[in-house]
Amino acid sequence: MSTPIPPAPERADFIREIVAADLRAGRHETVVTRFPPEPNGYLHIGHAKSICLNFGIAEEFGGRCHLRFDDTNPMKEEQRYIDAIEADIRWLGFDWGEHLYHASDYFEQLYEWAVHLIREGKAYVDDLSADEIRAHRGTLTEPGRPSPWRERPAEESLDLFARMRAGEFPDGARVLRARIDMAHGNVHMRDPVLYRILHAEHPRTGDAWCIYPTYDFAHGQSDAIEGITHSLCSLEFKDHRPLYDWLIDNLPVPSRPRQYEFARLNLTYTVLSKRFLLRLVNDGRVRGWDDPRMPTISALRRRGFPAEGIREFATLVGVARADNVAEVEMLEHAVRDVLNRTAPRRFGVLDPLKVVVEDYPEGKSEEMDVPNNPEDPAAGTRRVPFGRELWIERGDFMEEPPRKFFRLAPGREVRLRSAYFITCREVVKDADGRVVELRCTHDPATRGGDAPDGRRPKATLHWVSAAHGAPAEVRLYDHLFTSPHPAADGRDPFDDLNPESETVVRGCVVEPSLADLPAGETVQFERLGYFCPDPDSAPGALVFNRTLGLRDTWAKMQAQGRAGKA
Ligand code: ATP
Ligand code: MG
């Protein structure tokens, strides 16, 4: 056995400390974790945190992480979700190798263990309805009341349980319950339900079963079957831990996993709940599960967030014991950090204004060498065609510039990035007085963007050649909600939906090289932000998503001491 490498101190959190201590003490030879999604929707950024934690720990300590579908509720689970979940985890950069499992793989074993509990007098078939069971359960301050069937002989329960499996009873007619303690201080210990009748087709087991184990009965036992050492889950399962341990203690399981709870990820301006996200999709409030405004992994990918940025964010938020809300700006900061290093620079004009370089010959064009990243010479250059007619950003011109506006204005000279200096000679307007064209001249000696006499314009603009540029639609995104805490105080998040979360800008132009940029590759439109092609893009009808603007608001919030106090 190789000695596990302890994590670097900056990566240490209480879970990693527990794992490191267990390995050091020889309690386990290898760490084995698992990520257990229920395939009833797409994964979101909260799941990404759990994925990074489980797979990350396995990687760092030389162990392994299983992917296990928690497919115990056939009513809500679908194959397409299973496929999407696998694709998302792979895209995030993690690999479960041969360790792909399903709770449904263990249905036969779980059934045998249920029979074992009945034989031991530790479980019984209850004929009460779900409502009656609830009414008997008591409250936090009052003990529960026993079901009249609690003392039913084991033989009778065994018979009924077999007949439940054989399909003799309708949904809801009976359940199997653990026989623990109806007066227990923890309501989860008051004879929890272990099996319910559900005459439903299961995506994997078909109609082999009409009784299904509950999460509580399936989860810990699946962990034990797989030899999971550290079963990491979010805080809402803390109250389930005594039951988790009770089942492990009372069943002949092959290993003893332990459950540890960490705080789930919450994000400002975001709702992380599959049930709610499904509502948004079903109500047509978004373009689908992967609408770039959604917090799902597939949406973040479509929007152009690199997997590395999401992993960096997971590291940045860390692993806490107590619930908290992270700023969505922190996620954006992590993504920007990666894109700033990796995204090639390109030219795109979102609100085009025509420039005619009057002294540049008609029909002539030149290929300009433009750096792919002005801050990183190693990124090389690309060739961008230049011509007599150009598009610049409408906002880069003002007819009557105020004192601090240094960009183009009548009579003023500016630099076109990596091309020429141009001077505005004349402003052409339409009948309504709107500026439609600028007539300019250029200085041929400034080719490439520098003047031999050393003069330096105060502004450098991006541009696209009108003869070569490709038309594009650009979709700009804002938060899906107007409130930083859309689900707070029991409010319906639908009331806080931001009507301006998506703005479609038509009539944009981008440099010709962007016509064949593959979806999922994010570039920086110089001076504007990060953009990537949307899968809706087609030849001649390009569509780009704005991944993020350039300004890092989180860095600013931090500088002002506001970060972390959402
Ligand atoms: P949701 O509430 O969004 O439907 P869930 O917890 O029901 O999510 P599961 O598929 O059961 O979804 O979750 C799989 C794993 O992901 C669980 O271990 C769960 O603890 C973890 N997880 C889910 N949401 C978050 C979150 N916001 N932060 C961290 N971990 C999460
Ligand atoms: Mg769940």
Side-chain angles (χ1 to χ4, degrees):
M1 215 36 242
S2 61
T3 319
I5 309 148
E10 69 272 16
R11 298 267 346 220
D13 51 60
F14 78 98
I15 300 224
R16 285 177 167 86
E17 276 165 20
I18 290 168
V19 171
D22 285 349
L23 291 172
R24 231 181 286 118
R27 277 188 284 272
H28 307 289
E29 279 194 353
T30 320
V31 57
V32 186
T33 55
R34 87 286 169 267
F35 176 66
E38 183 180 358
N40 61 349
Y42 284 65
L43 298 181
H44 53 59
I45 182 80
H47 296 113
K49 168 175 170 169
S50 173
I51 292 167
C52 290
L53 178 66
N54 280 292
F55 282 93
I57 285 181
E59 246 166 46
E60 288 158 40
F61 291 93
R64 63 177 196 268
C65 179
H66 297 183
L67 171 60
R68 183 200 314 141
F69 287 102
D70 169 24
D71 54 351
T72 52
N73 183 358
M75 306 295 284
K76 292 191 199 151
E77 295 158 11
E78 294 178 30
Q79 185 60 40
R80 67 185 176 114
Y81 295 138
I82 294 186
D83 298 340
I85 288 169
E86 292 189 10
D88 285 346
I89 300 173
R90 284 216 177 84
W91 177 78
L92 267 180
F94 299 106
D95 188 2
W96 52 91
E98 67 215 35
H99 297 286
L100 172 64
Y101 304 101
H102 302 80
S104 57
D105 298 341
Y106 313 131
F107 280 175
E108 195 62 51
Q109 174 69 80
L110 292 170
Y111 180 83
E112 277 172 35
W113 281 338
V115 168
H116 174 90
L117 287 179
I118 301 174
R119 286 218 178 91
E120 302 269 300
K122 289 171 184 161
Y124 59 98
V125 170
D126 194 349
D127 300 357
L128 293 185
S129 69
D131 282 343
E132 288 166 327
I133 290 177
R134 210 168 301 124
H136 278 71
R137 196 163 47 201
T139 63
L140 284 177
T141 48
E142 283 169 56
R145 285 174 293 129
S147 159
W149 309 102
R150 194 172 199 266
E151 303 305 330
R152 143 185 281 167
E155 284 311 314
E156 200 176 306
S157 280
L158 284 171
D159 173 60
L160 286 169
F161 191 49
R163 290 165 60 196
M164 280 167 65
R165 176 180 184 172
E168 284 189 31
F169 311 117
D171 288 5
R174 296 193 157 86
V175 293
L176 183 75
R177 297 178 72 177
R179 197 163 173 278
I180 307 179
D181 179 359
M182 287 307 293
H184 203 287
N186 180 332
V187 290
H188 295 285
M189 297 294 274
R190 295 181 189 168
D191 293 11
V193 173
L194 306 182
Y195 267 91
R196 65 254 197 253
I197 302 172
L198 269 179
H199 290 270
E201 177 96 2
H202 187 283
R204 284 179 62 83
T205 59
D207 55 8
W209 294 88
C210 62
I211 56 172
Y212 290 95
T214 53
Y215 169 87
D216 284 318
F217 192 59
H219 199 80
Q221 282 55 258
S222 302
D223 285 344
I225 291 169
E226 293 175 20
I228 302 298
T229 55
H230 298 77
S231 180
L232 311 176
C233 62
S234 31
L235 276 180
E236 69 269 26
F237 293 102
K238 192 173 184 135
D239 293 344
H240 296 238
R241 178 152 33 101
L243 175 56
Y244 184 104
D245 290 339
W246 185 90
L247 288 166
I248 295 290
D249 287 342
N250 284 281
L251 287 169
V253 291
S255 80
R256 189 170 213 315
R258 288 202 179 272
Q259 172 180 305
Y260 298 93
E261 306 87 16
F262 64 92
R264 60 196 285 129
L265 174 72
N266 299 299
L267 265 189
T268 54
Y269 297 99
T270 310
V271 176
L272 297 179
S273 142
K274 279 184 281 186
R275 199 151 36 98
F276 177 75
L277 298 178
L278 181 63
R279 236 180 103 198
L280 284 173
V281 173
N282 288 345
D283 281 26
R285 304 292 184 112
V286 291
R287 293 174 189 264
W289 277 104
D290 66 345
D291 183 298
R293 293 165 290 177
M294 294 277 273
T296 56
I297 295 176
S298 52
L300 300 177
R301 173 169 66 231
R302 179 172 173 183
R303 182 163 168 172
F305 281 30
E308 186 190 353
I310 296 174
R311 293 196 304 266
E312 238 179 52
F313 169 67
T315 305
L316 211 54
V317 285
V319 183
R321 285 175 198 270
D323 272 322
N324 57 68
V325 184
E327 319 268 358
V328 72
E329 288 85 356
M330 191 196 218
L331 169 63
E332 296 172 355
H333 166 81
V335 167
R336 242 184 231 108
D337 203 47
V338 172
L339 289 178
N340 184 40
R341 271 188 282 117
T342 58
R345 276 46 170 178
R346 294 291 181 263
F347 291 156
V349 176
L350 297 201
D351 185 8
L353 173 61
K354 174 72 71 70
V355 163
V356 178
V357 187
E358 288 182 318
D359 56 351
Y360 193 88
E362 301 222 25
K364 177 180 172 178
S365 75
E366 288 174 86
E367 301 261 299
M368 298 299 185
D369 285 316
V370 185
N372 286 326
N373 186 345
E375 284 146 47
D376 176 15
T381 60
R382 69 189 184 284
R383 315 212 101 187
V384 182
F386 182 88
R388 185 171 193 264
E389 298 202 354
L390 307 164
W391 298 111
I392 64 163
E393 211 66 62
R394 183 168 285 277
D396 281 338
F397 171 79
M398 279 185 98
E399 196 172 9
E400 288 166 37
R403 229 157 38 88
K404 289 199 171 161
F405 185 89
F406 299 116
R407 291 167 273 164
L408 201 56
R412 187 179 291 172
E413 182 176 64
V414 295
R415 175 194 289 118
L416 296 181
R417 159 86 78 203
S418 305
Y420 294 104
F421 294 1
I422 59 165
T423 305
C424 177
R425 302 293 174 189
E426 191 191 334
V427 180
V428 182
K429 296 182 186 173
D430 65 10
D432 300 327
R434 183 177 146 89
V435 177
V436 291
E437 189 177 298
L438 303 176
R439 311 290 295 189
C440 300
T441 55
H442 78 301
D443 176 356
T446 60
R447 191 180 192 283
D450 288 303
D453 63 8
R455 78 184 188 280
R456 295 168 60 137
K458 284 203 172 129
T460 300
L461 312 186
H462 60 277
W463 50 271
V464 172
S465 160
H468 305 88
E473 169 183 318
V474 173
R475 298 176 184 165
L476 309 177
Y477 302 108
D478 194 358
H479 301 141
L480 194 49
F481 300 96
T482 49
S483 159
H485 305 287
D489 326 316
R491 278 204 313 277
D492 183 351
F494 267 69
D495 298 339
D496 289 326
L497 277 174
N498 178 5
E500 284 160 23
S501 55
E502 181 194 80
T503 308
V504 175
V505 186
R506 300 203 169 79
C508 313
V509 276
V510 299
E511 65 171 80
S513 73
L514 291 176
D516 7 85
L517 187 68
E521 291 214 2
T522 309
V523 298
Q524 185 189 110
F525 286 5
E526 275 199 37
R527 305 174 62 226
L528 298 180
Y530 298 100
F531 296 79
C532 74
D534 187 84
D536 286 348
S537 219
L542 303 179
V543 179
F544 284 87
N545 296 314
R546 182 170 67 189
T547 309
L548 286 174
L550 291 176
R551 218 179 40 194
D552 189 336
T553 37
W554 191 67
K556 199 166 147 196
M557 285 160 85
Q558 254 198 333
Q560 294 170 348
R562 282 200 292 135
K565 291 177 208 143

